[in-house]
DNA sequence: GCCAACGTTGGC
DNA sequence: GCCAACGTTGGC
């Protein structure tokens, strides 16, 4: 396979922690959503994901995304937000990861490539932790929910010509042998440098370097196979097909 | 259910 | 551009 482009945008200055993507520190970056020659809006540029290097041999970049595996009714929409990893299993489903309304998380999605891998994290449950992996099956495209007045993620300030929000599609890749709980990850934090899950608790789309990813998979393989991952997923789905 | 952390909004 | 008020996330 030909090496894919690196996530790194080498000349991009390190953004301030709270900086918006439109920050003036990135003089060369394209402005948000100018319309390209083919009429499609261009996604905004991005994030400090450049710090996190992918696999140098395959060009694959690694990420972590969060989802809630337990039923919770969103008070605004009365909709259940529940989305366990098991919802992606077995039907060759692609799920559009839309509704993300945080600039840094969006910026991370914008630099994802098809074929990248994202760890799947269960949050807001008894034992939060990493339970599996999904693959990015479609690179960033405009998040339609921002135009839907009935959707909880509707954004009145966004326009078709100048969309603010972008999303990727994901599909199931594998379940972990066991859950890597947040507690365990915190306890082993010294082995997991630069892991934003531990330092930026509220960021829902997180870049993960290849080295870090490798360490996490090593940790996963240390323990026995576990059934309780906050959802039912067949043990046979541990390995990549 | 509580609340700390932190991102966003809007008045000035 | 500052910063107080507000809203949301997510661990506990």
């Amino acid at each position: 396979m030909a090496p894919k482009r690196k996530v790194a945008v080498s000349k991009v200055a390190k953004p301030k922690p709270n900086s918006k993507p439109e920050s003036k520190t990135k003089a060369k970056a394209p402005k948000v959503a100018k319309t390209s020659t083919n009429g499609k809006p261009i996604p905004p540029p991005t994030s400090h994901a450049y710090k996190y290097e992918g696999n140098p041999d395959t060009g694959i970049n690694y990420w972590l995304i969060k989802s809630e595996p337990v039923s919770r009714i969103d008070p605004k929409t009365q909709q259940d937000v529940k989305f366990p990893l098991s919802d992606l299993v077995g039907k060759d489903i692609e799920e559009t990861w839309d509704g993300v309304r945080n600039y840094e998380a969006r910026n991370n999605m914008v630099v994802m490539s098809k074929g990248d891998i994202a760890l799947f994290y269960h949050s807001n449950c008894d034992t939060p932790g990493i339970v599996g992996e999904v693959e990015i099956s479609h690179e960033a495209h405009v998040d339609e929910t921002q135009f839907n007045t009935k959707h909880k993620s509707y954004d009145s300030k966004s326009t078709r010509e100048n969309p603010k929000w972008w999303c990727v599609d994901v599909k199931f890749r594998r379940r972990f042998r066991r859950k890597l709980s947040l507690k365990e990850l915190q306890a082993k934090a010294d082995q997991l440098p630069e892991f934003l899950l531990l330092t930026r608790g509220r960021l829902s789309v997180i870049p993960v370097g290849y080295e870090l990813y490798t360490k996490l998979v090593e940790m996963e393989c240390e323990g026995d196979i576990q059934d309780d991952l906050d959802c039912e997923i067949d043990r046979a789905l541990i390995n990549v097909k």
Side-chain angles (χ1 to χ4, degrees):
Chain A
M1 190 200 295
K4 301 198 303 180
R5 67 109 183 82
K6 284 193 175 175
V7 126
V9 184
S10 56
K11 297 221 172 115
V12 172
K14 183 178 180 180
K16 290 170 285 176
N18 297 344
S19 70
K20 293 197 173 182
E22 295 80 6
S23 162
K24 292 187 182 95
T25 57
K26 305 182 206 71
K28 292 264 173 102
K31 289 277 168 54
V32 169
K34 286 279 189 233
T35 303
S36 70
T37 46
N38 64 10
K40 280 168 108 179
I42 297 167
T46 159
S47 94
H48 62 234
Y50 68 90
K51 259 179 72 174
Y52 293 80
E53 305 233 330
N55 181 330
D57 297 325
T58 62
I60 290 174
N61 293 304
Y62 296 83
W63 310 90
L64 179 146
I65 61 176
K66 296 183 183 175
S67 187
E68 298 190 31
V70 177
S71 280
R72 184 173 66 81
I73 304 301
D74 183 286
K76 272 192 199 163
T77 59
Q78 301 301 111
Q79 303 258 2
D80 195 345
V81 300
K82 176 180 175 180
F83 196 89
L85 181 61
S86 54
D87 278 10
L88 287 169
V89 174
K91 300 163 206 159
D92 209 17
I93 292 175
E94 280 187 60
E95 181 71 16
T96 298
W97 214 249
D98 56 16
V100 173
R101 293 296 178 268
N102 170 282
Y103 288 109
E104 193 170 351
R106 173 202 70 178
N107 292 349
N108 288 332
M109 286 198 288
V110 162
V111 292
M112 288 179 181
S113 293
K114 185 177 175 181
D116 280 1
I117 290 168
L119 299 165
F120 201 92
Y121 179 88
H122 279 167
S123 67
N124 237 332
C125 54
D126 281 351
T127 312
I130 303 168
V131 294
E133 294 175 359
V134 293
E135 179 182 325
I136 307 306
S137 57
H138 197 291
E139 66 183 23
H141 54 94
V142 172
D143 179 345
E144 288 299 319
T145 64
Q146 67 197 296
F147 308 120
N148 180 351
T149 53
K150 304 230 170 78
H151 197 277
K152 79 172 165 70
S153 303
Y154 171 67
D155 187 338
S156 61
K157 290 177 187 152
S158 194
T159 62
R160 288 271 171 199
E161 298 69 38
N162 210 0
K164 279 167 67 177
W165 303 109
W166 298 74
C167 57
V168 294
D169 297 343
V170 303
K171 68 181 183 194
F172 180 80
R173 183 158 190 268
R174 69 178 188 104
R175 62 157 272 175
F176 265 24
R177 294 167 56 85
R178 65 185 188 99
K179 189 196 297 171
L180 281 187
S181 72
L182 179 62
K183 266 212 176 97
E184 179 178 353
L185 297 171
Q186 285 167 334
K188 297 176 177 171
D190 56 334
Q191 300 169 49
L192 304 167
E194 314 272 334
F195 196 10
L196 292 178
L197 180 73
L198 305 178
T199 53
R200 297 284 311 285
R202 292 171 55 204
L203 187 59
S204 66
V205 179
I206 293 172
V208 176
Y210 179 58
E211 255 183 73
L212 189 49
Y213 170 80
T214 304
K215 281 182 195 159
L216 291 165
V217 173
E218 276 169 18
M219 271 183 202
E220 175 209 350
C221 292
E222 280 166 15
D224 293 334
I225 296 178
Q226 188 185 53
D227 284 317
D228 178 17
L229 299 182
D230 299 307
C231 59
E232 292 284 325
I233 320 181
D234 196 312
R235 286 180 174 213
L237 297 168
I238 288 171
N239 297 313
V240 187
K241 275 172 259 171

